[in-house]
Amino acid sequence: MDQPLILGENLSLEPFAQHLPIAASPTILIIGGGVTGLVNAWVLLDRGYRVTIVSKEWASFTDHQRLTSQIAGALWEYPPAVCGQHTDAMSLSRSKRWCMIAYSIWEAIASNPKLAALAGVQMRSSNFFFPFPIEEHSAQYRKMQEIENSGVHGFNRAPNLIHKQGVNPRFGAVDAYEHLAPVIDTDRCMEWLMVLTQSKGAKFHTETITDDLFHQEQELLDRFSADVLVNCTGLSALSLAGDKTCYPLRGALIRVLNDGTEFPKVDCSLAITADAAQDNEIVFIVPRNDNILLIGGVAQPHRWRLDLTLESPEIQRMRARAEAFLPGLKRARLDDEYPIAQGLRPARECNIRVERELRSRTVSLHGEEIEEPSRIIHSYGHGGSGWSLSFGCAADVMGLVEDVLHNLPASGMKMQERVEVEDVHVQALWNQSLKDGPIRAKL
């Protein structure tokens, strides 16, 4: 079922559910406490469902290893993202729709000063640089045209951004464009999402669940008195969904002070994408907040160990590349409390999976054997785009929950015959107290 997200009607920024549950309201069990799980919980709670979130760990704010959702660069990007390409057309087309839905909601949050401060969300100029005239690269030219017509604000094709942003002319960039994009302080936003979902009625339960969810589906539904199970476990879907196509895409970011004392303060993001960079090595420079600047990036498939240090060759190359691109960074001072962040992006060979479990089980009903569909919904494999696609994927999950509750048969993800930019054009104008009516993020 198509389910539009309508800010002010079935999605609320208030600390209480837009629609309160009644005695007969179904309960949704979400496995996974990262950004995907929390945003799904938010959307479902505002729809009037009861929600329980089970996670083996939650966001932490120490110098120890943090959740992948916290380590993410969390710069909203129109797909394909900086750190890599989609491997099939279906994933790319769906991601374009999902990202624009998320753009509208994050922008609404950022445009409310009090809420923006609580959630750590800002709209900043996002700059992309290219070592060739963009028209000479068909995929990049097509992407630029889509961005310009997508509803993203502040688009500006301007090669003079190279000089304006202090990029080293000897680095080789010859073309550029910019647009406004949500930039998210993930530590602050994860804390805010946890508080928000709990205030809307979510129950949190800490537990490590192992093995294929399909084989323990009924036990979990019974134990948590749930009607539907939503799998938002990221890389753990390798075992929990029995999906052998899942793999880690190791990433790392250096954190430096961005207070304007050692180099001119960087207040916008600067990037060269993987397919535009020499040797496929990324330049990714993003303000995390008003004081911290992130320098990246690394995208290493099938690397499981989180053993990178500031002395690791790939980290030294990453920093040298950023310093060659933006020479002022040579004077940057590390964030002593947390100088390097590293994590495993939850990638998947067939890209993002947002669909119902397709396996069924044979049951006996009135002496006749029938196939009973699973009540599991999957949302995983987001790679480095969990924040960028969050609300879009959650909107699809909301529709799939309705399908399960209406006992509709499960079907796999399908390629849309045509995906026009206009189909994902959404407006993100936050109006005070919703005076001008609800904001609609259409599917």
Side-chain angles (χ1 to χ4, degrees), residues 137-151:
H137 192 292
S138 60
Q140 287 293 349
Y141 184 58
R142 184 168 57 251
K143 177 180 176 179
M144 182 185 72
Q145 289 181 309
E146 289 182 5
I147 291 173
E148 186 175 10
N149 294 289
S150 67

Side-chain angles (χ1 to χ4, degrees), residues 29 213-227 229 361 363 372-376:
L29 175 62
L213 293 173
F214 179 74
H215 299 309
Q216 52 187 322
E217 175 181 345
Q218 196 58 53
E219 185 272 330
L220 288 168
L221 293 175
D222 290 344
R223 182 152 62 94
F224 290 97
S225 302
D227 301 279
L229 190 158
R361 52 181 55 84
V363 298
E372 181 181 69
S374 169
R375 302 179 78 81
I376 296 173

Side-chain angles (χ1 to χ4, degrees), residues 125-141:
S125 173
S126 185
N127 297 251
F128 296 88
F129 301 89
F130 304 86
F132 44 72
I134 298 173
E135 286 85 355
E136 294 181 1
H137 192 292
S138 60
Q140 287 293 349
Y141 184 58

